[in-house]
Amino acid sequence: MFVLAYMVQLQVKHTIELHKTENELVGVNEKLLYSSMYDSLTGLANRQNLYDKLQYITANSNRNKNKFALLFLDLDNFKNINDTLGHHIGDALLKVIATRLKSVLRENDLVARIGGDEFIVILNDIKNEESILEGIEKILGIFKKEIIVKGKILKSSTSIGCALYPDDSKDINELMKYADMAMYSAKDHETNNFKLFTKSLDDDLHNEVNLVKDMHRALDEGEFKLYYQAKVDVNTKKIVGAEALIRWEHKTKGLIFPNTFIPFAEHSTFILDIGKFVLCEGAKFIKRVELLGLDDINISLNISTLQAKDTQLYDHLKHAIETNNIQAKNLSIEITESVMVENSLFASDLLHKVRALGVSIYLDDFGTGYSSLQYLQKFPIDAIKIDKSFVDEIKKDNEKNLILLNTILVMGESLGLKTIAEGVEEQYQLDYLQNKKCDFYQGYLKSKAIPEAAFIELLKKQM
Ligand code: C2E
Ligand code: CA
Ligand code: CA
């Protein structure tokens, strides 16, 4: 009897255990299935799930002759938030954004997270462009509202690229590529911005790819040259140095100016190769001038934002100074405010080290960007370059729009910074600047940027 009871008990226990493991297995399976389809952080559909759903959505769209819009979202400043505030804040921000995205979309729309800070949104049943714009506006709107994460107020924004099914493409991978391209184009302009894909974007990209290829060739074949534009003392009218400005002497297309190729070089790390070239050529030129017996001619080099964020910049500068055996005081670098805004701690550290080498630091295009007094005080800046647009305001018999220019000049003086006015073309502009105690100027009034030999001739004339 006892044995039987025991057997029954065992059996029951066994069945329960079996059941338990079966249940556990079902649970594990469900979990596995879930994690293969959903992003564990935000609970949104993941990339695989998105592709699966798109099969269904495209089939549906073909059957009903419906259109849908595929939006590619990429957060604008996410890396910065992660780097400065830590991953736990970055993760929390992503969760808030995911929740807000879901809340503004309609039931038959879809949102997926496909990478760190990349999301895809599918807007279904698109009747016309207006309905796309409406959807995009709603999404951009969620970034305009303050986001508070763990007691911190964060500013976040996104860039959106949009491609339309089936108009832009009937191939899902191509559609994703087009939306991605449109997103990059949107990012180029401003933050919290969007762009609809167009055929010309595709052509532009092809052109860009060809241009970048041609730039690589040109660098190897020595088609890039540094030209020099005189920096002149406003009072003595003597040349005190020059700004090196890059030119592309293209073998078939002739002379090409930097505004048509530098922005494209900046899309990739190729700008770092150009930067190295400029530094190397600039340092050699300083040596040549020093050997002429001119001890006090300062050459400034433009440093792109990416280059200024590169930890190697300091080493490259030091190397260029040492290998060419030049005086560091004859070298300056020109950086823009974006360097300081985007990674303030790193930039401040780097610039202090660069300055300790004896190299001067100019703040380029001053007045066009953030123009924050805070940066001027916090960073080791020697001079500010006043953008040409301010100098353009100096017109004959007109002193109306000069408040900003005057303020910059006074501010420079009171902070002990030198001021260099750019784009001076007329004598009366120079007279005005002299009156307002501006220190130096550059501009066509004295000279355009000219090849090395021509600039040396200009220098020799004043010896
Ligand atoms: P930037 O540094 O602001 O250079 C000043 C630009 O104004 C130069 O154009 C110069 O030729 C032009 N300019 C100077 N004086 C006058 C004037 O009196 N009137 C007029 N209308 N223009 C004047 P450029 O050489 O075409 O350079 C354009 C931009 O390309 C530069 O602006 C700089 O941001 C970038 N750049 C030039 N060389 C380099 C380089 O070696 N490296 C990098 N990263 N960027 C460079
Ligand atoms: Ca410059
Ligand atoms: Ca400038």
Side-chain angles (χ1 to χ4, degrees), residues 230-241:
K231 273 188 292 203
V232 187
D233 185 308
V234 166
N235 293 309
T236 65
K237 311 287 189 289
K238 287 237 166 176
I239 299 174
V240 296

Side-chain angles (χ1 to χ4, degrees), residues 164-256:
L164 190 62
Y165 183 96
D167 300 32
D168 292 328
S169 175
K170 288 190 81 167
D171 177 86
I172 286 302
N173 286 317
E174 197 170 51
L175 205 65
M176 290 275 266
K177 188 181 94 186
Y178 287 167
D180 190 17
M181 278 164 56
M183 184 279 292
Y184 267 97
S185 167
K187 240 193 214 323
D188 253 5
H189 294 94
E190 54 187 306
T191 55
N192 229 31
N193 190 18
F194 73 93
K195 189 109 189 181
L196 307 183
F197 173 80
T198 58
K199 190 71 190 59
S200 73
L201 256 183
D202 197 20
D203 295 342
D204 287 351
L205 193 79
H206 273 115
N207 291 340
E208 180 172 336
V209 169
N210 289 334
L211 177 74
V212 172
K213 264 195 211 149
D214 204 26
M215 278 196 275
H216 278 95
R217 178 200 59 74
L219 190 61
D220 288 342
E221 295 180 10
E223 289 181 8
F224 289 110
K225 296 275 157 52
L226 288 186
Y227 278 36
Y228 295 89
Q229 181 177 44
K231 273 188 292 203
V232 187
D233 185 308
V234 166
N235 293 309
T236 65
K237 311 287 189 289
K238 287 237 166 176
I239 299 174
V240 296
E243 174 179 6
L245 292 159
I246 197 166
R247 298 289 180 265
W248 182 354
E249 293 178 351
H250 197 283
K251 61 178 176 190
T252 52
K253 295 178 183 155
L255 191 65
I256 306 179

